[in-house]
C-alpha cells in the first residue's frame, strides 16, 4: 500500500518539475481527443514523454512528435480493443437492466463494476509495457499487464483508489482536470509500471534456479540485455530554473581577453 502511495507522490514531484511543459501537452492532448482521429496517438505520445521523464531522461515536443508517428496505428489498435471492452460492458448493462430485476440485477451490477475496475487496472500497465518491451508488441503487453496487475493486486487496488479519488476531485474542481490530469495520470501509470517491473525482476533474481514464479511476464527477465528498469529520483530543479541558473552562471564568468 505504501509503495502505491510513494508512486503517486513521486509522480506529483515529477509533474511539478515539468509543470509548464506538461500543462501545454495536456492542452494539446485535449484538443487531439476532441478531434477524435489524433486522440489515441496523442495519448501514446504523452505516455512516451512521461515514460522518458520517469526514467530520468529529458523529453519534450520532439519526443512527442516522433512517438505520435511511431505509434499512430498501434495506438488505434489499443483504442479499438479498449472501446470494444467498454462497448461490451455498456451493452450488457443496458440489456440486463431492462430485462432483469431484483437480486440477480444487483449481483450483475456488482460484477460489471468489478469488470470495469479490472479493465482500468490493466490499463495502468498496458501502454507503459508496450513502450518498455522490445518491439513494442500490443497483445503480449496486454497479457503482461493483466499478469502484473494480478501479481501486485494490493498495490494495484491502492493505486486505483488513489487515482479514482484524484479524478473525482479534479472533475469537481474542473481546473486541475484541465491543467494537469492527463500529464499526471500518465506519469502515475509509467512510475507504477517501472516500480512493479523492478520488483518483479528483483523477485526473479532471488528465486532459486529450481523454483518457477507463479506468474511469468513475457520478455521480462533479469538477464535482459537492456538496463534493468528502476525508477529514479525527480530532478531537484525545474527545467526553467535550470536555464535561469545557467544564465546567471554565464553572466558571472569573467570575459576572456
Amino acid at each position: 500500500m505504501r509503495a502505491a502511495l510513494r508512486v503517486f507522490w513521486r509522480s506529483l514531484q515529477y509533474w511539478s518539475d515539468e509543470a509548464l511543459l506538461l500543462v501545454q501537452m495536456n492542452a494539446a492532448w485535449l484538443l487531439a481527443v476532441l478531434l477524435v482521429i489524433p486522440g489515441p496517438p496523442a495519448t501514446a505520445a504523452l505516455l512516451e514523454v512521461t515514460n522518458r521523464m520517469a526514467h530520468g531522461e529529458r523529453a519534450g515536443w520532439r519526443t512527442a512528435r516522433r512517438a505520435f508517428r511511431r505509434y499512430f496505428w498501434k495506438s488505434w489498435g489499443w483504442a479499438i480493443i479498449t472501446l470494444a471492452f467498454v462497448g461490451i460492458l455498456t451493452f450488457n448493462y443496458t440489456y440486463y437492466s431492462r430485462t432483469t430485476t431484483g437480486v440477480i440485477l444487483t449481483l450483475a451490477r456488482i460484477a460489471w463494476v468489478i469488470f470495469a475496475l479490472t479493465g482500468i487496472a490493466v490499463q495502468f500497465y498496458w501502454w507503459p509495457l508496450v513502450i518498455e518491451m522490445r518491439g513494442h508488441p500490443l497483445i503480449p503487453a496486454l497479457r503482461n499487464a493483466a499478469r502484473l496487475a494480478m501479481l501486485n493486486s494490493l498495490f494495484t487496488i491502492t493505486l486505483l483508489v488513489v487515482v479514482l479519488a484524484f479524478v473525482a476531485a479534479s472533475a469537481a474542481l474542473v481546473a486541475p482536470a484541465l491543467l494537469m490530469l492527463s500529464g499526471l495520470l500518465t506519469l502515475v501509470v509509467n512510475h507504477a509500471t517501472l516500480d512493479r517491473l523492478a520488483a518483479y525482476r528483483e523477485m526473479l533474481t532471488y528465486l532459486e534456479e529450481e523454483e518457477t514464479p507463479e506468474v511469468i511476464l513475457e520478455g521480462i527477465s533479469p538477464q535482459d540485455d537492456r538496463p534493468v528498469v528502476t525508477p529514479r529520483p525527480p530532478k531537484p530543479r525545474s527545467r526553467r530554473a535550470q536555464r535561469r541558473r545557467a544564465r546567471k552562471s554565464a553572466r558571472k564568468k569573467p570575459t576572456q581577453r
Side-chain angles (χ1 to χ4, degrees), residues 7-8 10-12 14-15 21-23 25-26 29 39-55 78 123-125 127-129 131 159 163 166-167 180-194:
V7 160
F8 191 81
R10 187 186 304 125
S11 301
L12 282 172
Y14 273 66
W15 185 90
L21 175 64
L22 289 175
V23 166
M25 287 190 171
N26 197 134
W29 174 82
T43 305
L46 184 56
L47 282 159
E48 173 79 10
V49 169
T50 51
N51 178 271
R52 296 281 188 89
M53 291 178 179
H55 276 293
W78 161 75
Q123 288 287 347
F124 281 173
Y125 306 108
W127 197 265
L129 282 170
I131 298 173
L159 194 63
V163 166
F166 176 79
V167 171
M180 64 183 297
L181 188 58
S182 65
L184 179 60
L185 291 185
T186 53
L187 276 170
V188 168
V189 298
N190 274 299
H191 277 296
T193 303
L194 300 187

Side-chain angles (χ1 to χ4, degrees), residues 152-217:
N152 301 276
S153 55
L154 181 59
F155 175 94
T156 303
I157 291 170
T158 303
L159 194 63
L160 181 62
V161 170
V162 173
V163 166
L164 291 178
F166 176 79
V167 171
S170 297
L173 298 175
V174 180
L178 294 176
L179 292 175
M180 64 183 297
L181 188 58
S182 65
L184 179 60
L185 291 185
T186 53
L187 276 170
V188 168
V189 298
N190 274 299
H191 277 296
T193 303
L194 300 187
D195 187 85
R196 293 302 89 191
L197 283 178
Y200 174 77
R201 283 171 168 153
E202 185 178 357
M203 178 191 71
L204 290 185
T205 302
Y206 285 103
L207 281 176
E208 296 180 2
E209 293 184 359
E210 63 270 14
E211 292 187 39
T212 302
E214 296 181 2
V215 180
I216 300 177
L217 303 182

Side-chain angles (χ1 to χ4, degrees), residues 110-171:
I110 293 172
W112 291 324
V113 170
I114 293 173
F115 279 124
L117 293 177
T118 301
I120 296 172
V122 171
Q123 288 287 347
F124 281 173
Y125 306 108
W126 188 4
W127 197 265
L129 282 170
V130 170
I131 298 173
E132 291 295 324
M133 293 176 65
R134 188 189 301 274
H136 312 297
L138 195 62
I139 301 305
L142 174 58
R143 291 195 293 264
N144 275 351
R147 292 165 183 163
L148 202 60
M150 179 177 63
L151 190 64
N152 301 276
S153 55
L154 181 59
F155 175 94
T156 303
I157 291 170
T158 303
L159 194 63
L160 181 62
V161 170
V162 173
V163 166
L164 291 178
F166 176 79
V167 171
S170 297

